[in-house]
Amino acid sequence: MAVAHRKLLQSRQVGSLLFMLCLSVGSAATIRYSVAEEMESGSFVANVAKDLGLEVGRLAARGARLVSEGNKLHFRLHRKTGDLFVKEKLDRESLCGKADPCVLHFEIVLMEPLQSFRVEVRVFDINDNAPIFLNKEPLLKIPESTPLGSRFPLQSAQDLDVGLNGLQNYTLSRNAYFHLHTRFRSHGPKYAELVLDKPLDREDQPEVNLTITAVDGGSPPKSGIAHIRVEVLDVNDHVPQFSRLVYRAQVLENSANGSLVATVSATDLDEGSNKEITYSLAQNPEAVLQTFQVDSHTGEIRLRGPLDFEAIETYDIDIQATDGGGLSAHSKVLVEVVDVNDNPPEVTVSSVSSPLPEDSPLQTVVALFSIRDRDVRVGGKITCFLRGDLPFAVKPTFRNSYSLVTDRGLDREEVSGYNITVVAMDTGPPSLFTETVIEVLIADINDNPPVFQEDSYILTVRENNSPAIFIGKVHAEDLDLGENAQVTYTLLPPQSGDLSVFAYISINSDNGKLYALRTMDYEAIQNFQFVVKATDGGFLSLSSQVTVRVVVLDDNDNRPMILYPLQNGTLPCNDLVPRSADAGFLVTKVVAVDGDSGQNSWLSYHLLKATDPGLFSVQQQNGEIRTLRQISERDPMIQKLIILVQDHGQPALSTTASLNILLVDGFSEPYLQFRDPSKNPTRVNPSTKYLVISLAVLSFLFLLSVTVIFGIHIYQKVKYREKFTVQEHFYDDCNFPNNLVQRGANGSLSQPCPYEMCSATGTSNSEFRFLKRFMPNFPFPHGTGETKTEAGSRLPPDCNRNRSQGSEDHGQVPDNSM
């Protein structure tokens, strides 16, 4: 135990906290803990729930709280975990003074059912106070004729700590005349005496300076010093002599200030001034100096401060008698304080169950209280009773603890509350009593459900709102009283059972305020509804419901989206316009949509930028792009337009669309994707003449090859049929879909077969790269005796194909290049 205590004192120097916990159950209802003083606020003491054998969370469920026997609580209880913590820094000296052990008492009160447990916390002392001397520079007058071995008591050092941490020893500085002897008092701190070792000689050394050090037993030890000045007096042969070595006296604790305690007397055989004796309270503790005084001439010791038997029972007073020559003698006066019945019983109410339901059964516990009488020895037995004819009774639970219970039936309509006067009386003498009033209200039963102010509620919230924004409030009134009138609001899903509404809305259960949990999106949800349930706080709770509809208001938060022309981040979309087009010719139409509604979705189209702003116009309402004038030969072949699409929201949002318009001489030309001149500054110089010649030669050679291959194919097929005498016809009419080659009766091509013309984009002369057949594979009809082979092995040769659009040929072919 001492080693653990020393480690605690060392850890305190570096700012660490170490507590000492000793748990012992003295009885079935008392729990004892131990802590060290100076523990910081919030320091852990023990887990009360574990020591009481309760599950975690039961303390909170049963409304556990601490009740102190005094007026101040030094600890706090965490209900959820059951941990007991120090509420404020504990100072053992201010709590208990010199009393040891130092024990703090309080109770833990639990509800439903009402129970209480006594707790005692012992505060251990640490070495936080150093010994001090009240008189830092005492003066001793010692005659030079003082015999060797004479003793001179010194003032006691005061140390507020107790036990091992209190005052333990004195040391004296090195000198040639005195050594130190430590003595013990029956009640009080140790004191030291100077013992003369060498005769004093005033002519040789008239004054001797000494240093005394008081040391406690802490680890590390603390000390205090005083500087003693010894004045060597001339010869005085006789010292005063007390009539007794020890005086004894008794005094009642309720004695008034100035009351005579005892009288001491001393005589001196000298003559003259050396015979005159003066009495004083020499080296005494501060408690003695504050409580007693002595008449310097008569030796009468009287009270100067109040006595309290419960604090100090015995005083040890050191009386000094000094003659005119400076010689002195010492005697002791032991004062015993006699206890009297001067403290009435103290009633501490631990818990009150109020309001109390009027249908409570008999013997229901209404309140818990305890009675304490500080006059343990003379107070006698304590009796407790109630004043008046009330439907309550006092029932003892255990020593000095009582419970107030119902004795008859209660009727709230007859009496709505009681002021119960509890009387606690001791037997004296004289008999003292204390009256304590406990107020108990009678509660009504719950018979009225909450009622909403409206049959239904309609609330609005604008989309893109901030999360947790307040959008409205519902309110219900309950005609009951107290807890029965406390309304709690909860959300219920709509009748459809859609639980997603709980992701959008939240309600304050106390005041019915509704909050939007997330940002609303009008495009996702325009309105929703839910049910709010109002429940009162009665034991058998009653409730009512109301429907709340939330309407989401649209906000302009969506930019227009271009559907045509496609804006996919690659080359802009190209449209062809013949140079022969007149003013007002419809080139194309910009199509856009807006995800908002109402005015926020109204779109307008504007020409933001163009290669020639005077050549094209955009219809503001429908996005149609038309020519403003006749196209001339001087107009550039590539016209780049940037169209602005804007909604009518506040503020308005917009987006842009880019497209290229190609001015061509006619739709017989192939559709080529021209590069943006701003991105490719190289001059494009196509050779139309060589392009046409190359196309004619290649088409002739290809048609000749296809004709030969097709003739060979027909010849082989006829021979094959004659050999196996199979008379079947190969496709009597056109069975292939969409412009596939069909064989006529005379072996000629009855319909043209489509071909793609692919050009190399991005080159300077736009020369042809290859011609590619545009012919899918189809299975042969069953029964022909032929199987499907690779594409082109059983199909007729291909030929050129041009795509026509309406009545005008744009020269555009699908891109099926390999």
Side-chain angles (χ1 to χ4, degrees), residues 66-73 103-107 118-120 346-350 370-372 399-401:
L66 304 182
V67 179
S68 175
E69 289 187 357
N71 296 326
K72 190 174 184 180
L73 270 174
V103 180
L104 303 179
H105 303 272
F106 60 92
E107 293 183 9
R118 284 182 172 270
V119 180
E120 296 180 359
E346 298 176 357
V347 178
T348 301
V349 179
S350 302
S370 60
I371 301 177
R372 174 193 177 196
R399 185 175 178 268
N400 296 333
S401 295

Side-chain angles (χ1 to χ4, degrees), residues 793-815:
S793 61
R794 289 292 185 265
L795 296 179
D798 300 335
C799 59
N800 291 326
R801 178 181 63 91
N802 291 324
R803 174 184 295 176
S804 61
Q805 180 177 354
S807 61
E808 296 177 348
D809 186 1
H810 288 260
Q812 180 179 0
V813 295
D815 185 7

Side-chain angles (χ1 to χ4, degrees), residues 178-198:
F178 301 92
H179 75 271
L180 203 62
H181 179 69
T182 302
R183 302 192 64 178
F184 299 84
R185 288 189 174 93
S186 59
H187 296 86
K190 299 177 182 179
Y191 69 98
E193 292 180 340
L194 284 179
V195 181
L196 185 61
D197 294 331
K198 179 181 178 181

Side-chain angles (χ1 to χ4, degrees), residues 606-614 616-618 625 639-644 656-661 676 678:
H606 308 275
L607 182 59
L608 183 63
K609 185 178 179 181
T611 303
D612 186 354
F616 299 97
S617 67
V618 179
I625 301 176
Q639 297 286 330
K640 183 175 181 181
L641 304 183
I642 298 179
I643 309 302
L644 175 69
T656 59
S658 299
L659 73 157
N660 289 341
I661 297 178
D676 190 348
S678 62

